[in-house]
Amino acid sequence: MMKSEYALRFPIGEFDNPEEFDPGEVEAWIHEIARSPERLRAAVSGLNARQWDTPYRPGGWTARQVVHHLADSHMNSFIRFKLALTEREPVIKPYDEAAWAQLPDTANADPELSLAPLDALHARWSLLLRGLTTEEWHRSFVHPERGLVRLYENTAMYAWHGNHHLAHIGLIKST
């Protein structure tokens, strides 16, 4: 049976933004972010050359592009956290993820070039997140398309984001 376009695009469902700050949920999201690189390495372990360059859906990214996208996206998010913690509601710069996915360092490069930095990035990011106060969790940045984003909301989004793309890798592995 062929999976629907929606199921291929959102294999774990769409992101559900939290309505309020919940310390227990935040701790679970931090745990997801902390273990994301290890889970990603496990997910891509054993991919063959064909699978690395197979998209998870028609018109979607390849496994290689997904790994590099995760590094690009999570580096941007980490910087946004630091901006929000050191400036008052900074307006962040979005980027064209689809265009970035076509650049040579994303479309063709060895995935290890992004897996290694993700290990270090997530270690630092988790350390930062575990040190935030309740007041700091409510700090925010302004995304030109999404509006005001509180740090606890962005943490939820990136816990989801890692799992979302792990599921895409799983789709590729199952082919």
Side-chain angles (χ1 to χ4, degrees):
M1 171 183 258
M2 187 70 134
K3 287 191 179 216
S4 73
E5 170 67 20
Y6 180 86
L8 293 172
R9 187 167 181 199
F10 297 105
I12 65 167
E14 293 183 62
F15 173 66
D16 186 21
N17 199 52
E19 293 184 20
E20 59 187 43
F21 176 75
D22 179 319
E25 284 186 327
V26 167
E27 184 55 42
W29 299 327
I30 294 170
H31 180 72
E32 288 297 312
I33 288 170
R35 67 190 200 117
S36 181
E38 178 184 339
R39 292 181 65 218
L40 178 60
R41 281 186 181 278
V44 300
S45 174
L47 286 179
N48 62 42
R50 179 190 59 78
Q51 288 173 314
W52 274 114
D53 294 314
T54 297
Y56 61 87
R57 67 179 171 87
W61 293 336
T62 67
R64 181 182 315 277
Q65 288 170 305
V66 168
V67 169
H68 294 308
H69 162 71
L70 284 166
D72 291 341
S73 178
H74 293 200
M75 283 187 264
N76 271 285
S77 184
F78 181 67
I79 296 299
R80 292 170 181 175
F81 270 85
K82 294 187 82 120
L83 289 169
L85 290 166
T86 59
E87 300 176 21
R88 181 164 167 66
E89 294 184 357
V91 177
I92 58 94
K93 173 135 179 36
Y95 65 100
D96 185 341
E97 296 175 351
W100 282 37
Q102 300 309 313
L103 295 172
D105 70 309
T106 306
N108 305 317
D110 180 349
E112 186 59 34
L113 294 174
S114 285
L115 291 168
L118 277 167
D119 292 335
L121 174 65
H122 279 249
R124 282 191 61 197
W125 198 1
S126 300
L127 184 65
L128 174 69
L129 297 177
R130 286 190 174 107
L132 297 184
T133 65
T134 299
E135 181 181 327
E136 288 169 325
W137 280 112
H138 286 85
R139 292 190 62 104
S140 55
F141 58 82
V142 178
H143 190 290
E145 297 158 4
R146 292 175 48 216
L148 192 73
V149 179
R150 287 184 169 58
L151 292 185
Y152 70 85
E153 295 170 321
N154 209 49
T155 303
M157 173 173 274
Y158 277 85
W160 171 86
H161 187 253
N163 289 325
H164 168 70
H165 286 302
L166 282 171
H168 287 149
I169 300 291
L171 292 171
I172 293 167
K173 254 188 149 167
S174 69
T175 61

